[in-house]
């Protein structure tokens, strides 16, 4: 069976009447709260465990103490529950990713960790939670952490440059006149070479000190970004060289799409599922005699941005794409509508490459 967005999941009838139990876990930074239900949905117990490797092992032992553990629904498999999800998968326990509880139910029943853990288990038992989480145990996880640190360095560098320019704007004369009008690279080079005195009571010397500090911070962050780019290029080429051979894809966009798919892309059973995860699938809004679709504003927006970047590059440099755009425009499609179609076509083109590459890795 598959859920509406196409993520592979188990058939809940596999445990119906079997006497097996279902677990649910509400994860947090310091503790995990688990609940256990029987196959009829009766609450057997709930308990709290430390969010450590030892505590997670105790949690698994506790759940197995109620019978054959069929499946565990875990909330936050991409954050606080990542370690628990890895442990359960390594112990051959089926893990289902659970979204936060329904707001209407939460308003009616209230909120607590035991209630949320029970809700996670009931979502699995009812079949409303079906997503298979990423394994986070392969080269794609390496790509993800490198991209995360690269993104943080870029944001910090941008903030430092903005602060640097702001200080130049308000700097005392003649320092302001000396630095005004320089490009970013020229400004960083010039301010990093400033030689202030130790008399910080003088605003000129204090400003020189601050400017030099910011400039050297920018230089350090630039080196960090450059190193991350080199590592990302190496990792993406090792993970999916065929992906980088496609027009419009580079280490950054390819790394994002690999991260979105995860180390186990077989959890996405079709290109339609991948498109839904990337927020590139049309959402039906038909009612009565009205039959139409709207833009999908869900999914991984960073993956959607990567698809958008690839499409823009192809619209400028890829002749088959240029011909497609001209044909669809002649049919009356707007540029935005054509871009949406191209994003959907990209998902259809790229998922087989991703799946083949990562399956080979494992």
């Amino acid at each position: 069976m598959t859920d509406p967005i196409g993520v592979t999941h188990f058939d809940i009838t596999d445990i119906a009447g079997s006497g097996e139990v279902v677990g649910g876990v509400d994860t947090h930074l310091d503790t995990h709260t688990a609940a256990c239900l029987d196959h009829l949905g009766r609450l057997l117990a709930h308990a709290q465990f430390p969010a450590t490797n030892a505590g997670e092992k105790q949690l698994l032992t506790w759940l197995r103490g109620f019978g054959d553990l069929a499946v565990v629904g875990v909330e936050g498999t991409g954050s606080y529950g990542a370690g628990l999800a890895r442990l359960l998968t390594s112990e051959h326990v089926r893990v289902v990713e659970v979204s936060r509880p329904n707001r209407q139910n939460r308003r009616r029943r209230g909120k607590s960790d035991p209630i949320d853990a029970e809700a996670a288990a009931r979502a699995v038992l009812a079949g409303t939670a079906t997503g298979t989480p990423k394994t986070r145990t392969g080269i794609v996880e390496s790509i993800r952490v490198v991209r995360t640190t690269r993104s943080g360095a870029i944001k910090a560098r941008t903030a430092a440059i903005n602060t640097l320019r702001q200080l130049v704007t308000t700097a005392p004369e003649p320092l302001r006149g000396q630095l005004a009008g320089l490009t970013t690279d020229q400004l960083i080079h010039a301010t990093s070479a400033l030689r202030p005195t130790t008399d910080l009571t003088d605003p000129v010397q204090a400003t020189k000190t601050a400017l030099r500090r910011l400039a050297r911070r920018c230089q350090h962050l630039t080196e960090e970004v450059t190193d991350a780019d080199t590592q990302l290029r190496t990792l993406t080429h090792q993970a999916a060289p065929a992906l980088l051979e496609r027009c419009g894809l580079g280490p950054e966009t390819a790394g994002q799409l690999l991260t979105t798919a995860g180390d186990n892309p077989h959890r996405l059973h079709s290109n339609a599922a991948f498109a839904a995860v990337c927020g590139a699938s049309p959402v039906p809004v038909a009612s009565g005699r009205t039959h139409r679709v709207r833009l999908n504003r869900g999914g991984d927006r960073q993956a959607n941005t990567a698809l958008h970047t690839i499409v823009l590059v192809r619209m400028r440099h890829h002749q088959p794409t240029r011909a497609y755009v001209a044909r669809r425009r002649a049919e009356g499609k707007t540029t935005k509508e054509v871009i949406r179609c191209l994003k959907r076509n990209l998902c259809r083109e790229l998922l087989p490459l991703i799946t083949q590459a990562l399956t080979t890795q494992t």
Side-chain angles (χ1 to χ4, degrees):
M1 294 178 63
T2 57
D3 69 349
I5 66 168
V7 180
T8 305
H9 64 85
F10 66 97
D11 189 340
I12 197 65
T13 58
D14 292 343
I15 67 169
S18 64
E20 295 181 333
V21 297
V22 175
V25 184
D26 181 35
T27 60
H28 292 281
L29 177 62
D30 299 316
T31 61
H32 297 329
T33 301
C36 188
L37 308 179
D38 65 13
H39 68 281
L40 296 177
R42 293 174 294 196
L43 178 63
L44 300 179
H46 58 76
Q48 191 175 80
F49 302 88
T52 61
N53 184 255
E56 289 163 353
K57 290 180 179 178
Q58 294 174 5
L59 187 154
L60 176 58
T61 302
W62 179 81
L63 285 173
R64 282 177 165 168
F66 293 96
D68 294 330
L69 185 59
V71 60
V72 178
V74 179
E75 185 178 339
T77 59
S79 55
Y80 297 138
L84 176 62
R86 278 194 291 263
L87 172 66
L88 294 173
T89 301
S90 67
E91 293 292 331
H92 308 290
V93 176
R94 194 190 304 273
V95 180
V96 171
E97 186 171 2
V98 178
S99 301
R100 64 181 182 181
N102 180 275
R103 291 182 179 180
Q104 183 176 2
N105 292 337
R106 175 171 286 182
R107 283 194 295 267
R108 185 176 66 251
R109 296 190 58 194
K111 181 191 181 329
S112 68
D113 292 346
I115 290 176
D116 288 348
E118 180 183 347
R122 293 195 183 282
V124 173
L125 191 62
T128 56
T130 54
T132 301
K134 301 173 186 177
T135 57
R136 299 179 182 272
T137 55
I139 191 171
V140 173
E141 179 65 6
S142 300
I143 292 173
R144 185 189 71 82
V145 297
V146 169
R147 289 188 70 255
T148 298
T149 54
R150 176 184 180 274
S151 176
I154 290 175
K155 291 179 181 178
R157 183 178 62 180
T158 301
I161 291 172
N162 291 340
T163 305
L164 182 64
R165 288 201 171 277
Q166 182 182 12
L167 285 182
V168 168
T169 301
T170 59
E173 295 291 353
L175 187 59
R176 184 171 70 91
Q178 175 188 344
L179 299 174
L182 298 180
T183 66
T184 298
D185 289 340
Q186 291 172 340
L187 181 61
I188 291 174
H189 178 73
T191 51
S192 66
L194 291 173
R195 294 294 181 267
T197 66
T198 57
D199 183 15
L200 295 183
T201 60
D202 182 358
V204 173
Q205 302 307 318
T207 303
K208 284 184 177 181
T209 301
L211 290 174
R212 185 176 66 169
R213 184 173 298 147
L214 284 167
R216 293 183 175 180
R217 183 187 304 172
C218 291
Q219 291 173 336
H220 173 74
L221 290 169
T222 298
E223 292 176 2
E224 187 176 330
V225 172
T226 301
D227 290 343
D229 285 338
T230 301
Q231 296 166 350
L232 186 60
R233 190 178 302 109
T234 301
L235 287 170
T236 52
H237 187 271
Q238 182 178 344
L243 206 60
L244 296 175
E245 294 173 359
R246 296 302 173 108
C247 178
L249 277 90
E252 172 61 20
T253 51
Q256 176 58 64
L257 295 177
L258 288 168
T259 300
T260 300
D263 284 297
N264 51 335
H266 53 272
R267 69 196 182 94
L268 307 169
H269 73 92
S270 69
N271 60 72
F274 185 52
V277 170
C278 294
S281 61
V283 177
V285 287
S287 178
R289 296 182 180 180
T290 302
H291 300 280
R292 65 184 184 90
V293 296
R294 68 165 175 83
L295 175 67
N296 187 346
R297 301 188 182 278
D300 187 336
R301 302 317 298 173
Q302 290 185 335
N304 193 277
T305 299
L307 293 176
H308 191 81
T309 301
I310 297 168
V311 166
L312 293 182
V313 172
R314 289 190 173 190
M315 288 175 68
R316 175 169 293 190
H317 302 289
H318 190 233
Q319 185 54 40
T321 300
R322 292 168 63 89
Y324 176 86
V325 172
R327 177 169 60 84
R328 296 310 296 268
R329 280 176 175 167
E331 295 173 357
K333 295 286 187 182
T334 65
T335 300
K336 287 185 177 180
E337 290 172 336
V338 174
I339 289 176
R340 293 172 195 170
C341 293
L342 287 171
K343 287 181 182 179
R344 180 64 183 84
N345 291 338
L346 263 179
C347 294
R348 186 178 296 110
E349 172 189 345
L350 299 180
L351 181 63
L353 298 177
I354 293 173
T355 302
Q356 181 180 3
L358 296 182
T359 301
T360 304
Q361 290 287 330
T362 56

